[in-house]
Amino acid sequence: MNKHYFNNKQYFLRCFFKIFSLFLLLFSHSTSIYTKNITVLGTGYVGLVLGTGLAYFGNNVTCVDVDQEKINALNAGKIPIFEPGLEQIIKKETTFEKLSFTTDITSALQQADVIFIAVGTPQNADGTANLSFIDSAAKMIGQNLNNYKIIITKSTVPIGTGKRIKNIIASYANPTINFDVVSNPEFLKEGDAVNDFLNPSRIVIGAETEEALNVMKEIYAPLLAKKIPLIATDLPTAETIKYAANSFLAIKISYINEIAQLCEKTNANIEKVAAGIGLDPRIGNQFLKPGPGFGGSCFPKDILALSKTAENVNVKLSILEAAIEANKRQKEFIQEKIYKALNYELHNKKIAILGLAFKANTDDVRDSAAHDIIKGLLDKKATIKAYDPIANENMKKELPSITYSKSVYEAATGADVLVILTEWPEFKNLNFSILKEKMNNTIIVDARNILNSKTIKQLGFEYYNIGNA
Ligand code: UGA
């Protein structure tokens, strides 16, 4: 059985189970007996998935955003992000009037028993998290506090933000009305967010009162009934769990990427090394996939924010700093591979880039390794033709000067080298005869180790991957 066949079979089985669970989801009904009026502030990845999931649990959910265009689109059934399964549940819950979208923040706040804050926390120039959206949400909540409410942070926020939110609300609110602030970090992954929301590995709740904790348990009753573990703790501990989790995963990726570099010098095979260490349950086999460097809206931003937080309290997170540095070097390492494959002559060389999203199953290009690698190649005067199944439009906004193709083969036409940067399933099943016909040079750099090295070389391609896989 060759590796391709094995990969395909696994992939189709995974797809089948995902489609099957989504099917079950769409035709099932919520199980919560504790219906609440919930307002979610912010309709980004986290807010939209959260609001939809809470509506699915049977709550009355209002999602608020300041972006009128986005709200109009959502009310018209148009989902602004690509997230498998989300659109169908949104349609179902809006039809049952469990889920609605508005820009009217005042009424949405006043009618809520529970308010989730899921607004963005973009990165400041110095790497710290920008809390201006959080602060204005807290101010609005304070100004509209008409009865006891629980305010929950879902956005990834620096440690200590729960306390900050509490102080802001208190400074604007009627002092006779009580409220509680809770930290309830989200661990969902883009591309698998619906499944992650409905089947999380754990629920973390940082609460200061018994009352708030009990309400949170009611909200998550459908998940607690499935025996999903609950970590009940205080605000700073919950906030730290989120950053420590993302940082640990990022460290794991940087570690395997460096070991892959070592494998190239020692003639070891990184995929076997990863499998060999991953089978030790103390290490675990996930997040040991070498690649062009981690990206996305979370890891790069969150680990920098955590290292800044530590710096401010005079704690040195040296392992984290090394992981950040290693991630920069990994992108340079991939560029170096491309230069080398082209004998260090990039001027006017045509490079076909396959994959722009920061990982497969998303159209998100934020902090994507592809962005930095393409920029490095452009600086060396290479000509880039790129193709991504769904992220072309988003990358166009960041890198308007390169050419975007409608297919792999259009991008490959006339190319001196073909570079795979995102592990999209369609790149695992390329038609190599067509590629041979279309490409100028039959060179492939596979920065995700998705092709079978032996097969590709036998087909007459010059092939480079990561860590002799
Ligand atoms: C990440 C976390 O996995 C989620 O648990 C968390 O909730 C989320 O951040 C967040 O804080 O909101 P996400 O950014 O969607 O989720 O993406 P991941 O699947 O974690 O991938 C991040 C990056 O690491 C991608 O560029 C991916 O290609 C890379 N990666 C991942 C590797 O290079 N190797 C691996 O083995 C795994």
Side-chain angles (χ1 to χ4, degrees):
M1 193 188 294
N2 69 27
K3 190 176 166 190
H4 259 121
Y5 174 77
F6 187 63
N7 280 345
N8 285 344
K9 199 173 161 201
Q10 276 188 328
Y11 174 68
F12 285 124
L13 275 176
R14 268 207 312 273
C15 285
F16 173 77
F17 283 119
K18 271 194 184 160
I19 291 165
F20 183 66
S21 17
L22 281 174
F23 181 80
L24 281 181
L25 203 79
L26 287 173
F27 293 97
S28 60
H29 283 278
S30 68
T31 47
S32 184
I33 49 163
Y34 308 101
T35 301
K36 307 221 175 310
N37 295 321
I38 297 180
T39 288
V40 178
L41 301 181
T43 57
Y45 275 96
V46 171
L48 203 51
V49 175
L50 168 76
T52 308
L54 293 172
Y56 174 75
F57 287 166
N59 299 290
N60 303 311
V61 180
T62 309
C63 290
V64 183
D65 206 289
V66 287
D67 185 340
Q68 184 71 59
E69 243 176 73
K70 202 178 191 185
I71 292 298
N72 292 345
L74 282 162
N75 279 325
K78 290 189 194 110
I79 313 304
I81 53 171
F82 174 83
E83 193 56 57
L86 187 62
E87 189 171 343
Q88 293 88 326
I89 310 178
I90 289 182
K91 279 198 177 132
K92 178 185 157 219
E93 298 308 336
T94 45
T95 310
F96 284 104
E97 294 184 353
K98 284 283 171 196
L99 180 63
S100 61
F101 301 98
T102 182
T103 52
D104 181 0
I105 185 163
T106 304
S107 4
L109 290 176
Q110 289 180 359
Q111 76 195 18
D113 310 316
V114 168
I115 300 161
F116 279 88
I117 302 179
V119 297
T121 50
Q123 196 171 316
N124 286 320
D126 65 352
T128 55
N130 181 330
L131 294 180
S132 56
F133 297 128
I134 295 273
D135 290 352
S136 58
K139 180 179 168 189
M140 291 293 284
I141 293 168
Q143 287 168 336
N144 290 288
L145 197 74
N146 52 346
N147 53 17
Y148 172 76
K149 294 184 199 298
I150 298 179
I151 296 96
I152 304 147
T153 37
K154 261 288 170 193
S155 310
T156 301
V157 288
I159 304 154
T161 304
K163 203 168 146 198
R164 175 183 174 126
I165 291 174
K166 202 171 146 189
N167 291 338
I168 297 175
I169 296 176
S171 67
Y172 286 96
N174 174 343
T176 61
I177 303 175
N178 280 340
F179 67 94
D180 270 306
V181 172
V182 167
S183 165
N184 171 219
E186 184 53 68
F187 301 103
L188 56 84
K189 299 182 292 300
E190 288 182 23
D192 206 14
V194 175
N195 180 44
D196 280 344
F197 183 83
L198 296 170
N199 301 292
S201 50
R202 73 287 203 195
I203 299 164
V204 174
I205 297 173
E208 290 180 318
T209 66
E210 232 8 73
E211 185 174 3
L213 178 61
N214 287 337
V215 171
M216 293 305 291
K217 284 184 184 167
E218 288 173 7
I219 292 172
Y220 286 115
L223 298 180
L224 295 173
K226 291 200 284 184
K227 304 268 180 267
I228 305 287
L230 166 72
I231 304 280
T233 181
D234 53 47
L235 284 170
T237 307
E239 290 166 347
T240 307
I241 289 172
K242 171 67 192 183
Y243 275 104
N246 273 6
S247 299
F248 192 87
L249 294 169
I251 287 168
K252 224 176 158 186
I253 299 167
S254 274
Y255 178 73
I256 205 69
N257 281 340
E258 286 198 330
I259 295 292
Q261 294 192 22
L262 178 70
C263 285
E264 292 196 2
K265 300 282 183 198
T266 58
N267 289 325
N269 179 317
I270 187 61
E271 297 291 335
K272 297 274 186 223
V273 171
I277 63 172
L279 281 169
D280 182 334
R282 291 170 301 176
I283 296 175
N285 60 10
Q286 294 190 48
F287 280 68
L288 286 181
K289 192 93 193 107
F294 57 77
S297 64
C298 306
F299 286 176
K301 177 167 79 80
D302 294 353
I303 62 176
L304 211 56
L306 183 63
S307 93
K308 289 285 162 195
T309 301
E311 213 176 284
N312 291 342
V313 290
N314 294 321
V315 173
K316 188 153 179 62
L317 297 181
S318 54
I319 298 175
L320 192 59
E321 283 167 21
I324 298 171
E325 202 42 49
N327 200 47
K328 272 190 210 143
R329 279 200 308 271
Q330 190 66 9
K331 295 174 204 168
E332 289 159 12
F333 175 69
I334 301 298
Q335 285 176 46
E336 177 69 21
K337 251 184 208 303
I338 303 167
Y339 303 153
K340 199 171 164 196
L342 292 170
N343 290 324
Y344 296 95
E345 180 48 63
L346 258 79
H347 195 75
N348 285 336
K349 285 281 161 59
K350 294 195 178 71
I351 302 181
I353 298 283
L354 300 190
L356 299 167
F358 78 97
K359 63 174 185 179
N361 287 327
T362 179
D363 60 352
D364 198 341
V365 298
R366 285 176 288 176
D367 256 313
S368 168
H371 180 269
D372 292 359
I373 292 170
I374 292 173
K375 277 202 99 172
L377 298 170
L378 287 174
D379 287 346
K380 295 241 173 344
K381 308 282 175 247
T383 305
I384 308 284
K385 256 190 176 179
Y387 166 71
D388 188 288
I390 54 172
N392 278 3
E393 291 308 313
N394 282 342
M395 193 57 105
K396 246 180 224 172
K397 292 174 207 151
E398 311 236 342
L399 291 174
S401 69
I402 63 170
T403 306
Y404 292 88
S405 305
K406 291 196 178 68
S407 74
V408 168
Y409 306 100
E410 189 183 314
T413 303
D416 294 294
V417 59
L418 182 111
V419 182
I420 300 174
L421 293 181
T422 311
E423 72 285 20
W424 281 105
E426 74 169 90
F427 303 157
K428 294 177 188 172
N429 298 298
L430 300 173
N431 185 323
F432 294 100
S433 328
I434 303 184
L435 282 182
K436 265 189 156 176
E437 250 171 56
K438 303 257 178 200
M439 289 177 71
N440 187 33
N441 279 322
T442 47
I443 308 174
I444 297 180
V445 175
D446 175 5
R448 292 283 185 173
N449 288 357
I450 57 172
L451 301 179
N452 184 308
S453 158
K454 215 167 144 192
T455 317
I456 309 299
K457 284 180 184 164
Q458 274 167 1
L459 288 169
F461 284 83
E462 206 177 308
Y463 176 71
Y464 304 93
N465 60 16
I466 306 182
N468 296 319

